[in-house]
Amino acid sequence: MFENKTILITGGTGSWGNELTTQLLEMNPKEIIIYSRSELSQVNMQRKFNNPKLKFIIGDIRDYESIQQATRDAEYIFHLAALKHVPICEEQPYEAIKTNITGVKNLIRAAIENKAVKVIDVSTDKAVEPMNVYGMTKAIGEKLIIHANTITDKTKFVCIRAGNVLGTNGSVVPYFIDQVKRCKEITITDIEMTRYFLTLKQAIGLIFKAIKSSIGGETFVMKMPGYKIIDIARIILDEFGNEQCNIKIIGKRPGEKLHEVLISKYEVDNSYIYDKDYFVILPQINIEDLKEYYKKLNLKSLNKKEYSSNDYVLGYNEAKEMLIRGGFIHIKENNINI
């Protein structure tokens, strides 16, 4: 699908972008354009890959002229750029709006003008029934992406929603590890809190699933179990701490949910089981031929009130296996890491 194609990755220097680039290079593209604001991150990524198929552009999706030039030759666009940290977005909402809403608007306009084939927007569980600025701006970004299919029949626009990806910048697991090493404690907000987690490879798999299976206007969601944050904290404490380390309950932060939702009660009527690993959500707005296409697939309805991280919660041992798969802790045999 991507052989001899030009691909643009916005926000491409982060963890998602690095893994996506690694997998795309195996598919023999013509060129991968890495677009981001961070000069140092681009230099480090350029040195890491040392591949002539990578082109690096310093730019900001808030700047229309910049993103218009970056999309000029792009056939497939992976939109990863966003302001993502809940507390920062709460404290600086206007900045979140500029990046997560105005930036998406700029990208849509540029992609249509430059006749891109398909745009994949990477969204988040925080966008579902949002109660914080980050989630609200991402929810509007989703709406803009899906609506873009009604103003062009040339470029197709699709969303994916994912939970927390292990090891990404600012994610909870490396943060907990750092807290143990520096502060001898882990701070969590509520012992009942649950979250979705997936590995980077699973996250990129979701992106590829969406871009290969979609016809434009859908939102793809991966089936994922939930995990208790307290279990994650205890595993990290057991692995990296000692008897002086402890867990401190600090209470929920502004805009923070107890459980995350990937498909809301308002979306379930338009949600279907795509296959054993994925759900697909069809939009409430009318997009020509979309519902007819999925009607022919004869997919089963989701048949849930909503899809929440508290629906199917795995325990301590399963959480530990997940962290082993993610490479954060290692299996020990006779007290020797293997």
Side-chain angles (χ1 to χ4, degrees):
M1 181 177 187
F2 301 111
E3 186 168 1
N4 204 34
K5 302 297 184 183
T6 299
I7 300 160
L8 169 68
I9 307 174
T10 71
T13 54
S15 306
W16 283 67
N18 272 262
E19 179 64 28
L20 178 57
T21 299
T22 299
Q23 295 192 35
L24 283 171
L25 284 172
E26 297 174 356
M27 302 177 190
N28 196 31
K30 178 181 178 182
E31 184 176 61
I32 301 175
I33 303 165
I34 307 296
Y35 180 88
S36 76
R37 297 187 297 177
S38 173
E39 177 187 17
L40 178 60
S41 295
Q42 288 198 9
V43 170
N44 290 338
M45 189 172 177
Q46 190 171 26
R47 290 171 178 170
K48 171 187 171 182
F49 283 95
N50 191 28
N51 192 307
K53 289 189 175 183
L54 298 190
K55 177 182 178 181
F56 292 85
I57 297 177
I58 298 287
D60 193 328
I61 58 172
R62 303 178 182 195
D63 179 351
Y64 176 71
E65 290 184 3
S66 172
I67 193 62
Q68 203 276 343
Q69 292 177 7
T71 57
R72 188 161 294 167
D73 298 317
E75 296 164 274
Y76 293 94
I77 299 172
F78 297 92
H79 179 50
L80 308 181
L83 287 186
K84 302 174 182 176
H85 293 278
V86 170
I88 290 176
C89 292
E90 290 296 297
E91 293 167 5
Q92 302 183 67
Y94 293 111
E95 297 304 310
I97 290 168
K98 290 175 188 175
T99 298
N100 298 348
I101 298 177
T102 304
V104 171
K105 176 186 171 185
N106 289 340
L107 178 65
I108 290 168
R109 178 183 167 194
I112 292 173
E113 285 190 5
N114 288 314
K115 298 179 174 61
V117 175
K118 192 172 283 189
V119 177
I120 299 294
D121 175 57
V122 176
S123 192
T124 167
D125 48 15
K126 307 289 190 301
V128 185
E129 298 181 358
M131 60 177 291
N132 53 56
V133 173
Y134 170 53
M136 291 173 183
T137 56
K138 290 297 287 184
I140 294 174
E142 281 189 9
K143 294 289 188 182
L144 292 174
I145 286 287
I146 298 303
H147 179 267
N149 290 280
T150 68
I151 57 179
T152 178
D153 58 0
K154 303 297 183 185
T155 303
K156 302 301 181 182
F157 295 84
V158 183
C159 287
I160 69 162
R161 282 186 196 150
N164 298 284
V165 179
L166 291 171
T168 53
N169 295 333
S171 61
V172 69
V173 174
Y175 176 65
F176 280 175
I177 294 172
D178 183 61
Q179 278 194 314
V180 169
K181 292 180 177 179
R182 289 190 305 106
C183 309
K184 305 303 181 187
E185 71 175 12
I186 292 176
T187 56
I188 70 169
T189 56
D190 193 299
I191 62 171
E192 296 300 324
M193 184 172 286
T194 63
R195 290 292 183 266
Y196 295 107
F197 287 97
L198 68 164
T199 65
L200 261 176
K201 287 190 177 182
Q202 287 176 316
I204 303 307
L206 174 55
I207 291 178
F208 287 150
K209 182 72 173 184
I211 204 163
K212 291 175 181 178
S213 302
S214 61
I215 66 167
E218 311 98 317
T219 299
F220 280 84
V221 174
M222 180 180 287
K223 296 180 184 179
M224 289 181 287
Y227 297 90
K228 282 194 170 185
I229 294 296
I230 188 68
D231 285 338
I232 303 294
R234 286 169 177 160
I235 293 164
I236 298 299
L237 206 63
D238 292 344
E239 185 73 15
F240 297 97
N242 54 42
E243 59 274 9
Q244 280 80 45
C245 297
N246 60 77
I247 295 173
K248 182 179 179 181
I249 311 299
I250 60 173
K252 285 192 294 182
R253 299 174 297 180
E256 192 170 45
K257 292 181 180 179
L258 189 61
H259 309 295
E260 292 293 359
V261 178
L262 274 169
I263 302 176
S264 78
K265 59 187 176 184
Y266 305 109
E267 297 172 314
V268 290
D269 289 342
N270 290 318
S271 301
Y272 300 89
I273 301 170
Y274 190 84
D275 58 24
K276 66 182 182 65
D277 296 316
Y278 297 94
F279 301 121
V280 62
I281 307 170
L282 303 186
Q284 295 179 346
I285 62 172
N286 181 53
I287 295 175
E288 189 175 357
D289 299 328
L290 180 63
K291 290 185 179 178
E292 291 78 6
Y293 171 82
Y294 277 93
K295 189 174 181 179
K296 291 177 182 177
L297 295 183
N298 198 29
L299 302 178
K300 291 183 179 180
S301 296
L302 180 58
N303 197 26
K304 283 177 172 284
K305 291 184 178 179
E306 66 177 11
Y307 181 44
S308 162
S309 61
N310 196 41
D311 285 356
Y312 179 52
V313 180
L314 297 182
Y316 180 97
N317 291 334
E318 291 86 356
K320 188 171 184 177
E321 289 174 6
M322 173 194 66
L323 294 176
I324 290 171
R325 289 197 305 272
F328 291 97
I329 62 176
H330 303 279
I331 301 172
K332 292 182 179 180
E333 186 173 299
N334 297 327
N335 296 321
I336 299 175
N337 285 352
I338 60 172

